[in-house]
Structures are given as structure tokens and as C-alpha cells.
Amino acid sequence: MKKRLLSSLIILVFGVILSSCTKSETIISVLIYDANDTYISEMKSDFENQNIYNYSLKIYDCQKSQKIQNDLLIKTINKTDVYYINLVDRDSAGSILLKTREKHIPVIFFNREPSQSYIINSNEAYYVGSDSIDAGKKQAEAFDTTYKQALTNGIDLDTNKDGIISTVVLKGEENHQDSENRTSNSIARLKELGYNLSDVKMYVCNWSNDIAYKYTKKILEENPKVELVLSNNDDMALGMIKYLEEHKLFEPTYAAGEYPPISIVGFDGTVFGQKSIDSGQMLATVLNDAKLQVKVIYDLTNKLLTGYTNILTIDEVEVKNERYFYCPNKVIIKESV
Amino acid sequence: MRKILIQNTLIIFILYVIVLSISLTVFINKNITDTYNSKNKEIASQINYNFNSYFDTIINTSNTTVDKLQKEQSNSSIEDLFELTVNVKTDIKGIALYDNFNNLYVKSSLFSLPDEEELNKLSSQAKLDSSIYIFSTPYGTLSSDSGCYIVREVKYYNVLGTIQTGYLFVDFNFSKIIELSEACDLGENGHIDIVDNQNNVVYSSGDIFLQDKDIIEKTILGETNTTIDSNRYYVNIDTCSSTPWRIAIFSNSNELHNQLVFSIFSMLGLGVLAIAVGFFITFKLSKIISSPLNELSKKMANIEKSHDLVHIKIENNDLDEIKSLTSSFNSMVDQIRSLMEEIYKRQDDLRVSELKSLQNQINPHFLYNTLDSIIYLSETNQNEKSIEMTVALARLFRISISKGKMIIPIKQEIEHANNYLVIQSIRYAGAFEYKFEIDENIGKYSTIKLILQPLIENAIYHGLKNRVDKGLLLIKGYFVEDKICFEIIDNGYGIAEDKLQDILDSFKKHDPGVGVGIVNVYRRLKLYFGDKATLDIISELDEGTTIKILIPREVEMNEKKIII
């Protein structure tokens, strides 16, 4: 009896050792900024659905806290092969990279761009995302196209016809690369295209649908004649639209009924965003191609793990400084949906 | 016995104490450590929160300034903006705007100018990313007027109304940070280090940064424990929001270590104390139990050896069990003693009565009277009678002596009585007649010898000898239930009532002095058979006497029975 017990114990121990030795799977730890964010949660599904290399994917929600992200990093550092990090605090990239450099773990930042110096100075850090400068320009172009289109239908989106487009910006975040770039470039591009913009007021709504909803009253009070709202993302735009709808300010007043009274241009091209365009509420948006970005991230990972050449190239994507993979943006307006 | 008692008790007790001590120590230490660690974590996160809040405030103010800057159209309005901000926000010491070529454009009144090298370094860094703030290293950290620059590339309108790129320098109050650091209670030698991404010190509230640096480099982020200069520290490193810095909090955990050591030592001490007490108690207890027991067993052994039946008394004993043992033993000793005395007495009695009966057997008077009779018969040529008498005498003595045996078959006893009667009837010819009515089946049973003859002698001498007419003597022997009954019946004078009483009284007396035959027989019967034998005298004056003896029916009787 004792002998059997002993031998089965030995077999068990061996089995455990053996099974732990056969490490065939690559473990990817994904630290996302906020699982409640619409765009990010869509991206999360894309990660899960596009896992063609069958990596062992572990996704963690950092709940908008850099501390939580740091703690998760420490917790997972010994069982991670590659990190996909959606940075909470852009300045923390340096510290994070110091930690991952120790273990030679490559890090692919996505969606929230860290400062250049961090990525350049590390040889195992990459960024995949959309080109935010281009994003801003595309927002402007989206408005431009639609404006011109509306004119052909006899509708002037400059509702009070004073030659000035009264503009307001819903900003995602202060000191955020994408936020700043989209904001400043959309305004600059509109000016380039010849539009006369008013004194543009900025409202920081933290990328949030709820906050934008709450601020809308104040925004309307401070800007009663607002004609154009440039939103850094679809969620905030939709928050505003929700308020407008509830307060019955969104009845189309044109005969054709196809253009909303306030031109709202979003960014991301989320499912909700696109629906909103279909139903004629949001004027336009710009696609932040999550699916493409995820594909690029996976392809990049694959190249990294299977040995790589010094210059990485991936189709359809613009590579800057060998580390930045910018996926192109696409304008979405009603016709093209 | 004491050794085993002690050994077993102690082994179990020591094991118990050890297991208890160890598990308690482990448990308590774990609790202490957990409590301490979570307290440290709390403190660390609170400190981090405070720092983060402070920097967030600074950044927010700066952002607002940047936004407002873009709406100002003239230098003076820019200057006013700066002045206002500095006045309102106590955390901001000064603000300045430099142009694209690092020339000072506008500043607030109290702005302390950075040196050229720093200026160039900061603005070139700011140029790379216009959305973030570049942090300088703090200056004046030893004075109370410490400050630090954050720089950001901004857009503004110059005097000509064209938009320009420049650098906004915001000088914020670093003393506040120093105050925050020093206000934290991190224990003796506890301190805070602020480091940048090259692990260089931005600020340290302690003075051992060179040693801190090692652990900071190794850990980068998270928590750990370390020892520097024989001080133990709990270290927590986290990023500081909106800045490229990390905050490393060194909290003195000597107290923890000391507490742990203290708890281990006190557990040890308690354990040793418990064991010592255990030893003491065990020894004491075992002594209390074993020493009276030892004494008791020793004294019992003595009694066994010496056969000296004395009472045992145990000194220094408090145990009831031992007391009761001792008293039981003593009462047993008493019983033995009285039993033995009884034995001696019986033996004595027996010896004496044996002696007596032996004496009786060799009654000289009877002997030479009988011999005289034989001589007379011989001289008178009554040969037949002389032979009969001689033979009877010989047989009588043979049975009397019976090789010294006490027990003889009833058959022989009857024969003995018969021989006696033969002799006496010849001597006292015609004085009486005798008859035996004996159930022959009783013959094979046993009895003590010389019970019939003395009674017959009594009957003859006291009852029949001096009768005028012929006396009658009847000797019966028959079964009665499980007993055998002998009756010696005469029709003599009988026994006077007071004499009878005397006789009966003599039965009860223990002194063997009285040689009265009947008493002798009675005593011997009682000696041998105890209550199983009875002797009854029924007498009527002038009518006769019957003596009835009852003895148990025994085929084989143990001579040695009396000698227990």
C-alpha cells in the first residue's frame, strides 16, 4: 500500500514537472487603459477574435490608474513574453520600459502614444496606432466634404450664415498626444481649407460619454450659436447628441431632413458612432481602424518572436523611425456607410 | 516507575510546548508582518497620492495658462496673465515665455531665470513633443525657496499678431514637495527619493541616496525589503503622475523586524519557561505520587521478608489513595494476626488435649487395676477370662495409640469401646450389662479416637458401679441425615442439675486444666469438627443419663486439617 502511494506520488510530481516544462504557448499580457471605454472594448474584442497565431492572451483592465497598471506589470512580469500596453500616464513609459528591459520583454504600446524619446531610446518598444495629426486633418476634411455636399443640396451648414463657423472642441484629455494633435490639426486644416472659425472653446470631457452629456448644457449656454462640434472621439460626441435629443434640440429643421442642426464630427468610427451617422445624428466620423491595428500588432509580435530584421515593414502601414506603426484613417460620412 | 512517569509526561509536554510555540510564533509573526506591510502600503499609496495631486494641480494650472495664452494679443496682456496666475496660485513661483530662439519674451515679475545651458536643454527637449511638459531638476533644495521648471512648447501671438512657437517656462514651488516628503512619518531614517528615468536623484529627503540607488535600480517599480547600514527598510517605488519621475519611499521597518525578533524570543522564552515549569511540576508531582508508593512497597516488602506483622505508617503523604491503601493493608495485617493467633491457639489447644488424651489413654490406675485383675484371674486359674482380659487390654492399647493417629475408623472406635467394656465387665462382674446397637454401615466412616471410651468410663464410675441392682449400658451408633450419632445410655444415678450446669460451663471455658472426661471429649470434638459436632447430655436423677454425640459423616479425614 505504501509502495503504491509512493510510486503514484512520484509519477504525479514528474507529471507536474513535465507539464510545466512543455511551454509551447506564448503569453501576451494586454494592459488596457479602461475596459469601459467604447473604443477600447471594441479593440479588446478584436484582440480576442483576431488571435490567428493562437497566443495565450491575458487581458487586464487598468481602470484608468497608472498605479494599477504598474502593479499589474509587476504581477505579470515573470509570466509574460510580450506586453501590449495601453498607457494610462504617458510619462510612465520610461519607468515601464526600464522594468521590461530587465527581462528583455518587448512592449507594443497602442492607442495612447508615449513620448517619442522613450520609444526611441529603447530597442524593444513599439507603438501601433493612428496618426493623430492625420486624424485631425481628416476630421476637418470630413466636415469640408459634407459642407460642400450640403451646399449642393441647398443647405448651408453655417446656419446663421454669418460666414463664421462657431466651433467648439470636445477634448479627450489634456497633454494627450492624440487629443492635442487631433484638436490642433483639425482646426488648422479647417482654416487652411478656408473656413473662418470663431474663437474655438475647448471642453475637456475625458473621452467620456457621460461627462460630455453633463457638459452639454454648459456648452450650449456658453456657445448658444454653436454650429460645429469637433469631438476627439465618438463617445463624447454621442454623449452630447444624447443630451440634445432628450431636450428636443435635435429636430431636423431642413426640408430634406438629412442634416442635423449642429454639425458634430467624431473620431473612432465605433459601432455606435457609425449607427449615429446612419440615423443622421452625427455628421461624420473618422475611422480609427482598430481591426487593422490589432492585425498589425499581431504581425509585429510574430516577426519579433521569430527573429527580425532591423527594419520592420508591414503592409498598409506607415512605419516611422522603425518603431511607429501608423494605421491610416478613413473618413466616414453618411453616404459612405 | 518514577522514571517512566517523568519521562513520558515530559516528552509529551515538551513536544506540545514546542509545537504550540512554533505555530503561535509563525502565526503571530505572519499577522504582524501582514499588518505592517498593509500599513506600509497604505502609507505609500497615501504619499504617492499626495505627490500626484500636487503635480496634477501644477500641470492643470499650466494647461490653463497655455490655453489662455493663445488668446492673448499683446505682451502686456500676456504679462498680466502670468502675474495673475502667479498671484492666485501659490504653488507657482513664476512664469516666463521664451521665443523660438530661446530669448526671453515675457515673464512674471518674480521669475528666477534659468541658466543658459539649462534653458537650451529644456527647450530642445520640449521641442520634440509639444503635448507634454519637460521637467527640469529642482534647484535650491537646501533652502526654503526651492523651485523646479516645467517647460512646454506653445503657440502665442506676437506683437505683430502672427502666431509664433515658443517655450513656456513654469517655475513651481518645490519646497512644498520637500515639506510633503519630510512630513511623512517613515520611522527613523525613513526617507523619500525622487528619481528620473536614468535613476538619478531629483530629490532625496534622506542622505543615503548612493546606497538607495542600488535597490532602486534593481527594483524599478513595486515593493521590496532591504537593509542599509543595518537599518531595515520597506521600499515602495511608483510612478508619479504627469511627471517622468518615480517616487521611492523608504520606510524604516526595524520596528517590524524588532517586533518579529521580540516575538520569536519571547515565544522562545515562554517556551523555555513553560518547559522548566513543566519539568519542575512533573518532578514534584511524580515525587508526591511515587515516594509514598515507594515507601509503601518497601515496607510491604520488609513485612514479607521479616514476617513481622506490623502496621505501616507512611510519613509525608497527602494522597488519599495511598492512605486508603495503607489502612487496607494494615487491617489485612490485623486480620492475619488474629487468624494466626487463632491458629496458634487451636494448635495449642489441640496439643494440650492430645497430650491430655494421651495421658488419659495411659491411665496408670486403670492399667494396674486391670493387670491386678488379670493376675487374680490367673492365680484363680480363670484362664479364659484372664486371656479375654489380656487380649482386650492389648487391643485396647493398640487402638488407643493407633500409631499416634488422631483419626480412626469408627469400626475401630467401637472396638476400642468394646474392649474396654470387656475389661470392665470382667472386673465389675455382674455390676452391669452392656449392649451395642451399632449400624454396621457406619463402621467405614472416620472419627476422632477416644470419644466413646471416656464417656463409657463416666457412665460406669458415676452411674453404674455402685448400683444395688444391675445397671444397663447401651451404646448406639446410627445414621442421622448427613451425620452419625452415638448414644451412650445408662440407667445410673444421673447427674445433679447443678453438676450438669458445671459441666456445661466447663465446656465453654478454654482452659484445659479440667480433666473431666466428658469435657475433654467435648473439647476435642469441637476442636476438630467445630460446630458440625455436638455433644448433648440428657440426665435425670435416679433414672439415667444419655450422652448423644453427633459427628459429620466423613470417610476420609485430614489429620492435618487442624493445622491450617
Side-chain angles (χ1 to χ4, degrees):
Chain A
M1 169 66 188
K2 252 193 179 168
K3 255 197 175 164
R4 255 202 243 152
L5 202 68
L6 187 66
S7 54
S8 53
L9 199 71
I10 290 175
I11 291 172
L12 190 72
V13 169
F14 261 111
V16 169
I17 293 174
L18 278 175
S19 64
S20 68
C21 281
T22 56
K23 196 178 86 117
S24 55
E25 289 197 317
T26 309
I27 301 175
I28 313 266
S29 292
V30 185
L31 307 179
I32 61 178
Y33 160 75
D34 178 17
N36 292 326
D37 178 279
T38 313
Y39 180 74
I40 295 295
S41 59
E42 283 183 12
M43 204 165 178
K44 179 169 164 243
S45 320
D46 292 333
F47 273 120
E48 284 159 2
N49 297 333
Q50 291 175 230
N51 187 2
I52 50 173
Y53 300 103
N54 280 322
Y55 297 128
S56 169
L57 205 65
K58 298 197 192 305
I59 302 180
Y60 303 92
D61 179 13
C62 300
Q63 301 168 55
K64 297 199 202 177
S65 158
Q66 186 57 48
K67 178 158 182 34
I68 293 180
Q69 194 164 73
N70 291 343
D71 287 343
L72 283 167
L73 182 80
I74 292 161
K75 202 172 100 172
T76 55
I77 196 131
N78 286 323
K79 3 177 203 164
T80 301
D81 298 311
V82 183
Y83 273 108
Y84 299 162
I85 298 185
N86 188 207
L87 261 186
V88 176
D89 187 355
R90 296 179 64 214
D91 294 293
S92 303
S95 307
I96 287 181
L97 288 171
L98 274 177
K99 194 87 183 159
T100 56
R101 187 162 68 190
E102 242 191 345
K103 312 260 177 183
H104 301 290
I105 301 176
V107 179
I108 302 178
F109 292 99
F110 66 96
N111 177 258
R112 291 169 70 83
E113 194 176 325
S115 297
Q116 269 206 12
S117 53
Y118 298 129
I119 304 246
I120 306 283
N121 290 334
S122 158
N123 56 6
E124 285 173 319
Y126 304 87
Y127 177 73
V128 176
S130 76
D131 185 342
S132 47
I133 295 171
D134 184 56
K137 292 187 181 155
K138 290 264 178 349
Q139 275 189 308
E141 284 158 22
F143 177 69
D144 182 51
T145 315
T146 329
Y147 186 85
K148 293 194 170 106
Q149 195 190 71
L151 281 179
T152 61
N153 289 335
I155 294 165
D156 190 353
L157 293 177
D158 176 8
T159 47
N160 61 4
K161 298 186 182 14
D162 60 353
I164 299 176
I165 310 286
S166 174
T167 311
V168 146
V169 169
L170 299 179
K171 219 171 170 189
E173 209 176 308
E174 292 284 43
N175 307 117
H176 183 278
Q177 173 95 325
D178 285 24
S179 202
E180 300 287 345
N181 284 342
R182 285 176 211 167
T183 306
S184 50
N185 284 289
S186 57
I187 293 171
R189 185 78 178 118
L190 279 174
K191 287 186 178 164
E192 264 179 36
L193 291 168
Y195 293 94
N196 203 354
L197 298 179
S198 64
D199 194 17
V200 179
K201 289 221 176 81
M202 320 256 184
Y203 297 90
V204 179
C205 297
N206 282 349
W207 309 106
S208 157
N209 187 304
D210 287 338
I211 296 179
Y213 176 86
K214 286 188 191 128
Y215 273 27
T216 307
K217 181 168 175 206
K218 181 172 134 182
I219 294 170
L220 294 177
E221 278 168 13
E222 292 177 7
N223 304 275
K225 296 196 221 137
V226 64
E227 287 155 342
L228 173 60
V229 176
L230 293 166
S231 176
N232 280 170
N233 78 347
D234 281 348
D235 262 0
M236 293 188 290
L238 291 171
M240 189 176 218
I241 288 170
K242 184 164 144 208
Y243 183 92
L244 294 170
E245 258 196 323
E246 279 176 12
H247 291 78
K248 313 259 193 255
L249 300 165
F250 224 53
E251 251 70 79
T253 56
Y254 298 99
E258 285 181 24
Y259 295 93
I262 302 176
S263 300
I264 302 178
V265 180
F267 180 85
D268 273 342
T270 59
V271 171
F272 295 116
Q274 294 188 22
K275 271 204 191 121
S276 178
I277 294 178
D278 275 348
S279 60
Q281 292 169 330
M282 193 154 68
L283 185 78
T285 187
V286 178
L287 179 67
N288 189 359
D289 200 342
K291 288 188 170 48
L292 178 61
Q293 284 169 30
V294 167
K295 176 175 179 301
V296 168
I297 291 172
Y298 277 133
D299 285 344
L300 179 59
T301 311
N302 184 45
K303 286 200 180 188
L304 287 173
L305 292 174
T306 56
Y308 57 98
T309 53
N310 278 330
I311 297 173
L312 296 161
T313 52
I314 297 190
D315 302 334
E316 307 163 304
V317 163
E318 187 187 348
V319 183
K320 276 191 186 155
N321 298 321
E322 297 176 25
R323 303 294 177 75
Y324 286 81
F325 296 79
Y326 288 120
C327 299
N329 304 304
K330 206 169 80 175
V331 168
I332 300 177
I333 53 179
K334 198 159 179 217
E335 265 65 29
S336 58
V337 164
Chain B
M1 175 211 152
R2 185 172 177 209
K3 219 174 167 188
I4 294 176
L5 201 65
I6 290 176
Q7 254 178 348
N8 287 343
T9 315
L10 278 178
I11 286 173
I12 293 174
F13 183 68
I14 288 175
L15 274 173
Y16 173 71
V17 168
I18 288 174
V19 167
L20 193 69
S21 301
I22 291 177
S23 47
L24 265 179
T25 308
V26 165
F27 178 71
I28 288 177
N29 278 0
K30 184 163 185 307
N31 266 358
I32 294 177
T33 309
D34 284 349
T35 311
Y36 206 82
N37 279 346
S38 57
K39 177 182 133 195
N40 276 334
K41 262 212 174 91
E42 264 303 304
I43 293 178
S45 69
Q46 187 61 42
I47 292 172
N48 276 321
Y49 179 77
N50 289 342
F51 276 80
N52 286 352
S53 301
Y54 186 72
F55 286 114
D56 282 346
T57 318
I58 309 264
I59 299 286
N60 281 340
T61 309
S62 307
N63 283 336
T64 315
T65 311
V66 169
D67 281 346
K68 288 193 180 151
L69 179 63
Q70 295 192 343
K71 303 184 176 112
E72 302 304 328
Q73 306 287 355
S74 69
N75 283 11
S76 57
S77 56
I78 294 177
E79 195 175 332
D80 289 339
L81 170 65
F82 288 176
E83 213 66 64
L84 183 67
T85 311
V86 169
N87 286 336
V88 169
K89 302 283 179 184
T90 52
D91 298 326
I92 309 278
K93 290 171 68 187
I95 309 179
L97 178 62
Y98 285 78
D99 71 13
N100 218 355
F101 305 100
N102 294 337
N103 299 319
L104 181 60
Y105 190 72
V106 178
K107 73 170 181 62
S108 66
S109 51
L110 296 170
F111 183 78
S112 64
L113 300 164
D115 61 42
E116 195 167 339
E117 200 188 313
E118 179 135 47
L119 175 62
N120 289 335
K121 189 175 99 183
L122 291 169
S123 46
S124 56
Q125 278 181 306
K127 201 177 183 60
L128 294 175
D129 189 338
S130 64
S131 59
I132 61 165
Y133 290 89
I134 304 299
F135 281 72
S136 74
T137 41
Y139 64 86
T141 50
L142 295 173
S143 72
S144 60
D145 192 28
S146 176
C148 183
Y149 299 104
I150 52 174
V151 182
R152 187 176 168 185
E153 191 189 66
V154 293
K155 299 248 187 321
Y156 65 99
Y157 286 101
N158 68 358
V159 286
L160 302 169
T162 46
I163 208 148
Q164 301 289 320
T165 306
Y167 303 101
L168 188 72
F169 277 63
V170 177
D171 182 8
F172 68 89
N173 187 345
F174 200 77
S175 307
K176 201 60 184 300
I177 298 284
I178 296 174
E179 265 171 48
L180 276 174
S181 314
E182 285 171 359
C184 305
D185 179 15
L186 297 168
E188 204 178 305
N189 294 323
H191 56 280
I192 294 178
D193 295 333
I194 304 181
V195 294
D196 66 15
N197 281 325
Q198 281 74 45
N199 289 322
N200 293 324
V201 62
V202 168
Y203 167 71
S204 171
S205 70
D207 46 16
I208 50 168
F209 183 74
L210 288 172
Q211 288 152 301
D212 291 347
K213 192 167 171 176
D214 287 332
I215 195 81
I216 294 174
E217 269 178 356
K218 197 163 144 231
T219 317
I220 304 171
L221 283 174
E223 52 184 14
T224 184
N225 285 296
T226 186
T227 308
I228 300 175
D229 289 343
S230 72
N231 280 318
R232 281 179 185 72
Y233 295 100
Y234 164 81
V235 185
N236 185 302
I237 309 179
D238 203 5
T239 53
C240 190
S241 73
S242 315
T243 72
W245 295 334
R246 278 169 292 146
I247 299 178
I249 300 172
F250 285 73
S251 170
N252 185 318
S253 64
N254 276 348
E255 194 197 307
L256 170 67
H257 185 259
N258 290 345
Q259 276 202 19
L260 289 177
V261 168
F262 175 75
S263 92
I264 291 177
F265 272 110
S266 52
M267 270 305 149
L268 221 81
L270 277 174
V272 167
L273 186 69
I275 290 176
V277 168
F279 260 85
F280 179 72
I281 291 180
T282 308
F283 270 85
K284 207 87 221 290
L285 262 181
S286 70
K287 187 145 197 257
I288 289 176
I289 294 174
S290 71
S291 95
L293 269 176
N294 278 343
E295 204 183 324
L296 186 63
S297 74
K298 241 190 260 176
K299 287 194 175 163
M300 282 191 192
N302 278 345
I303 289 177
E304 193 186 3
K305 231 191 289 180
S306 67
H307 299 294
D308 191 7
L309 289 172
V310 290
H311 272 194
I312 291 180
K313 176 138 179 49
I314 309 288
E315 310 290 330
N316 301 325
N317 169 49
D318 295 312
L319 298 171
D320 291 335
E321 292 80 359
I322 307 258
K323 281 187 188 152
S324 110
L325 252 180
T326 312
S327 79
S328 300
F329 183 79
N330 287 339
S331 62
M332 185 189 73
V333 159
D334 286 340
Q335 267 194 30
I336 292 177
R337 261 209 230 142
S338 65
L339 278 172
M340 285 183 76
E341 273 173 16
E342 221 182 283
I343 292 174
Y344 292 148
K345 170 137 278 122
R346 276 209 206 176
Q347 283 190 348
D348 271 346
D349 285 351
L350 203 65
R351 294 272 134 78
V352 167
S353 58
E354 257 196 9
L355 223 58
K356 273 263 132 170
S357 74
L358 225 60
Q359 266 183 315
N360 282 346
Q361 290 164 40
I362 317 174
N363 188 354
H365 294 293
F366 173 74
L367 184 60
Y368 49 72
N369 281 342
T370 309
L371 284 174
D372 271 343
S373 301
I374 294 171
I375 292 168
Y376 171 71
L377 287 169
S378 299
E379 283 176 348
T380 57
N381 289 327
Q382 296 183 61
N383 292 336
E384 265 184 44
K385 285 219 167 86
S386 84
I387 289 169
E388 212 183 326
M389 210 172 192
T390 313
V391 166
L393 186 66
R395 285 203 183 124
L396 183 84
F397 277 118
R398 182 176 291 147
I399 295 172
S400 286
I401 291 162
S402 295
K403 298 185 192 165
K405 281 206 279 200
M406 265 280 298
I407 315 290
I408 55 169
I410 290 178
K411 191 170 165 212
Q412 281 185 4
E413 180 69 15
I414 304 291
E415 224 189 281
H416 181 268
N418 188 39
N419 287 327
Y420 180 77
L421 277 167
V422 162
I423 295 168
Q424 297 295 68
S425 69
I426 295 174
R427 271 188 60 197
Y428 301 104
F432 64 91
E433 270 184 22
Y434 67 88
K435 189 173 170 198
F436 278 91
E437 277 180 19
I438 306 290
D439 179 349
E440 57 186 34
N441 290 323
I442 70 172
K444 61 179 184 283
Y445 293 97
S446 305
T447 178
I448 52 171
K449 67 181 176 196
L450 305 178
I451 52 171
L452 296 175
Q453 178 264 323
L455 300 174
I456 295 168
E457 186 177 328
N458 273 353
I460 295 172
Y461 284 121
H462 297 297
L464 297 169
K465 194 171 76 176
N466 295 323
R467 269 184 76 89
V468 173
D469 50 347
K470 224 180 206 167
L472 282 169
L473 185 65
L474 176 59
I475 297 114
K476 280 191 180 175
Y478 55 90
F479 288 115
V480 169
E481 295 168 352
D482 60 334
K483 291 200 170 46
I484 296 173
C485 186
F486 296 106
E487 279 185 66
I488 296 112
I489 307 163
D490 71 65
N491 61 353
Y493 289 131
I495 306 172
E497 218 179 286
D498 50 346
K499 189 87 197 285
L500 184 56
Q501 194 56 48
D502 278 347
I503 295 170
L504 290 175
D505 288 342
S506 304
F507 283 178
K508 304 296 176 220
K509 285 203 194 127
H510 276 288
D511 53 26
V514 184
V516 178
I518 192 168
V519 176
N520 183 297
V521 170
Y522 177 86
R523 293 251 186 84
R524 282 192 291 120
L525 279 173
K526 285 299 184 188
L527 251 182
Y528 196 81
F529 292 111
D531 289 329
K532 289 191 202 165
T534 54
L535 191 149
D536 294 304
I537 309 171
I538 307 136
S539 183
E540 221 184 291
L541 276 175
D542 290 336
E543 289 297 329
T545 311
T546 303
I547 301 181
K548 203 168 175 186
I549 295 176
L550 277 170
I551 62 166
R553 232 198 262 198
E554 282 178 61
V555 177
E556 273 202 9
M557 301 207 314
N558 199 343
E559 286 260 343
K560 295 196 166 71
K561 202 167 152 195
I562 300 174
I563 308 152
I564 293 167

